Amino acid sequence: MLSHNDNEILCRVGPGTPGGALMRRYWHPVCTSAQLPHPDCAPLRVRLLGENYVVFRDTEGKVGFLEELCMHRGASLALGRVEEGGIRCLYHGWKFSVSGAVMETPNHADPKYAARMKAPAFPAREEGGIVWAYVGPLELLPAFSHYAFMDSAPNNRVVLRVNVACNYLQLVEGGEDSSHVGVLHTNMARPGWKDDEFTPNPDVVNPAALASNDLEPALKIEDTAFGFHYVALRKTADPRVRNARVVPFIVPYGRIIPAPAFQFTVLEVPEDDTHTSTYIVVHGDAPVTEEKIIELLGLNDPKYYDRKNCTFSASWMDTFGQNRELMKENWTGLRGVEVEDATIGLSQGPLYDRSREHLVPADQAVVRVRRVLLDAIKRVMENRQPPALGLDLRGVSACDRQLEDGTAWQDLLPGHRQTVTA
Ligand code: FES
Ligand SMILES: [Fe+2]
């Protein structure tokens, strides 16, 4: 369990909070590139760490990230016109470039006035099919962390965003919790479960396709420059060999989950204390399509996913679409990895109070997430540098392999110990 106070420190991310101060030291995804599909397309309203912004793509294709409300008298720029190298407020026509330069102020046409002004704009860039922004103190702007998926050929990569109405930490903890995979995702992890037979799932894209039906994995954890990595060791038919599933936690909310032939990089970006944008990036050495991933995640059903707004739409209003009849054959009565994960996260409530939980050894990686984040928050409060700023993460990945007794699990992914600054 976690004290109520520590729970608050970890979960609250708004301006002026300790957790918010930590989060404001990193670059964050703010939308997918596909959400800004062409120059001068419609802008998007973005909620990030409890504050509102607008993101847009200008005539040259460059992305800009500004405070949502116009600096003149506060109309929303998310309603604005994007044209001729900037975004123009509807109210009185003030126009701003991606860097925040005030290009025109039609109701006060003196150019010297505009030249003196600067709109609140933030560093923004586009990498790996995602638009990223930094909203922290400019003097502390970190180098940009480079993930392996950013080097992937576009045909071998899918980027999805799923907005889920609960606190980010619930979703992060689900991702660092190997023991839930064989239970919550039973139908994908252990397809023969009804007959008490273990039939491995042949789908090489499915991250819940386990190579063992051991429900009580032994966890081992090691701290790294990016946060930590841990292994879940499961028994196999050969007593000298165990199945080893290694997953990294990248401060402040990242993970990589292994599928047999692909990697799932997942970033749980806090919109505010009770809303999260989950970015799921799938990449590998072979082509993969958005349709395949959407189906695998269970998001091809409009009951669960609004593709236009990237929003997970099921709720208690319809008991998450759970089908009790289906549960004779299907563990959850739901369908798809993300539908199951998001539903469980939402079922914990908008912001779960961990002071009433009962932990077991299989929850060790969840506990480590909290410890690493609390320590990082403490460092920021003491004006020290938090971990994982500006790293070269190209050597960081996840794996699911067989491990003979006497072999070090850390040697499965040697890049984790070698990770250094970008
Ligand atoms: S409020 Fe935006 S131009 Fe006046
Ligand atoms: Fe899961």
Side-chain angles (χ1 to χ4, degrees):
M1 66 166 259
L2 195 68
S3 73
H4 177 73
N5 191 41
D6 280 351
N7 198 67
E8 291 286 301
I9 287 173
L10 280 172
C11 294
R12 304 280 175 195
V13 294
T17 62
L22 172 69
M23 289 289 175
R24 282 167 174 76
R25 298 295 300 276
Y26 299 87
W27 285 87
H28 300 287
V30 294
C31 69
T32 67
S33 295
Q35 287 187 283
L36 296 176
H38 54 79
D40 290 339
C41 61
L44 282 177
R45 191 164 178 253
V46 172
R47 191 149 170 82
L48 177 66
L49 305 177
E51 298 184 281
N52 291 339
Y53 302 90
V54 62
V55 65
F56 69 102
R57 191 185 294 285
D58 76 4
T59 313
E60 288 176 13
K62 290 192 299 245
V63 289
F65 195 70
L66 308 180
E67 278 183 13
E68 181 199 1
L69 301 186
C70 175
M71 65 182 291
H72 174 222
R73 279 176 43 216
S76 174
L77 293 174
L79 296 171
R81 302 173 62 90
V82 183
E83 55 193 17
E84 293 160 352
I87 188 166
R88 189 188 291 281
C89 179
L90 292 185
Y91 205 178
H92 312 90
W94 288 30
K95 184 174 161 191
F96 311 101
S97 76
V98 291
S99 63
V102 181
M103 301 166 78
E104 290 173 34
T105 52
N107 62 348
H108 185 63
D110 176 1
K112 288 203 287 299
Y113 178 76
R116 279 203 307 273
M117 311 295 282
K118 172 110 170 45
F122 301 86
R125 59 191 285 173
E126 198 166 8
E127 301 281 351
I130 292 175
V131 178
W132 307 71
Y134 173 81
V135 295
L138 260 192
E139 66 279 13
L140 296 172
L141 175 72
F144 190 76
S145 286
H146 194 104
Y147 288 79
F149 73 77
M150 292 171 179
D151 298 332
S152 181
N155 280 351
N156 296 0
R157 180 177 70 205
V158 168
V159 179
L160 280 183
R161 171 181 175 181
V162 187
N163 307 327
V164 184
C166 71
N167 183 258
Y168 83 100
L169 192 59
Q170 285 153 230
L171 303 171
V172 168
E173 290 183 353
E176 303 292 331
D177 170 19
S178 201
S179 81
H180 91 274
V181 179
V183 185
L184 176 64
H185 306 306
T186 284
N187 280 69
M188 285 164 280
R190 304 179 291 120
W193 69 286
K194 267 313 244 186
D195 306 319
D196 238 359
E197 266 174 32
F198 181 56
T199 325
N201 184 339
D203 185 354
V204 295
V205 189
N206 198 318
L210 288 186
S212 160
N213 64 348
D214 181 359
L215 295 183
E216 195 184 352
L219 269 46
K220 294 189 189 312
I221 309 176
E222 183 179 76
D223 288 333
T224 59
F226 51 78
F228 70 85
H229 59 169
Y230 80 100
V231 66
L233 295 164
R234 290 180 170 85
K235 297 183 196 77
T236 69
D238 181 343
R240 290 162 308 171
V241 174
R242 283 189 289 175
N243 172 253
R245 210 170 146 88
V246 181
V247 166
F249 172 66
I250 302 159
V251 178
Y253 46 53
R255 66 181 179 273
I256 303 176
I257 303 291
F262 288 87
Q263 303 267 307
F264 282 60
T265 304
V266 186
L267 304 167
E268 306 286 5
V269 184
E271 291 180 27
D272 55 33
D273 293 347
T274 54
H275 295 83
T276 303
S277 288
T278 301
Y279 288 81
I280 302 173
V281 186
V282 183
H283 83 283
D285 293 329
V288 58
T289 65
E290 185 170 306
E291 290 312 311
K292 164 70 185 169
I293 299 302
I294 286 212
E295 194 217 322
L296 173 87
L297 297 175
L299 300 176
N300 54 342
D301 180 341
K303 180 165 70 219
Y304 288 104
Y305 188 54
D306 176 341
R307 283 178 84 154
K308 184 166 182 297
N309 299 317
C310 303
T311 296
F312 189 81
S313 37
S315 71
W316 276 115
M317 294 286 282
D318 62 350
T319 321
F320 298 98
Q322 189 181 40
N323 182 336
R324 290 259 157 203
E325 189 56 31
L326 191 66
M327 285 169 80
K328 290 175 186 153
E329 301 299 326
N330 173 304
W331 175 261
T332 55
L334 307 168
R335 194 181 55 75
V337 187
E338 175 64 9
V339 166
E340 291 174 339
D341 284 333
T343 297
I344 289 298
L346 288 165
S347 79
Q348 292 173 301
L351 196 162
Y352 175 52
D353 180 356
R354 294 161 179 77
S355 64
R356 292 171 58 89
E357 65 187 2
H358 300 81
L359 298 173
V360 295
D363 299 313
Q364 281 170 87
V366 168
V367 173
R368 186 67 66 100
V369 167
R370 302 170 186 175
R371 210 174 84 198
V372 165
L373 288 178
L374 281 171
D375 181 60
I377 290 169
K378 186 159 175 275
R379 292 178 73 91
V380 169
M381 293 294 100
E382 292 169 352
N383 292 319
R384 290 186 291 146
Q385 174 133 315
L389 293 177
L391 292 184
D392 180 348
L393 297 168
R394 280 175 287 194
V396 180
S397 61
C399 74
D400 187 328
R401 302 224 198 107
Q402 304 301 82
L403 186 74
E404 284 193 29
D405 275 357
T407 315
W409 64 271
Q410 294 91 338
D411 292 343
L412 293 172
L413 295 168
H416 287 194
R417 283 175 160 174
Q418 293 155 8
T419 298
V420 290
T421 314

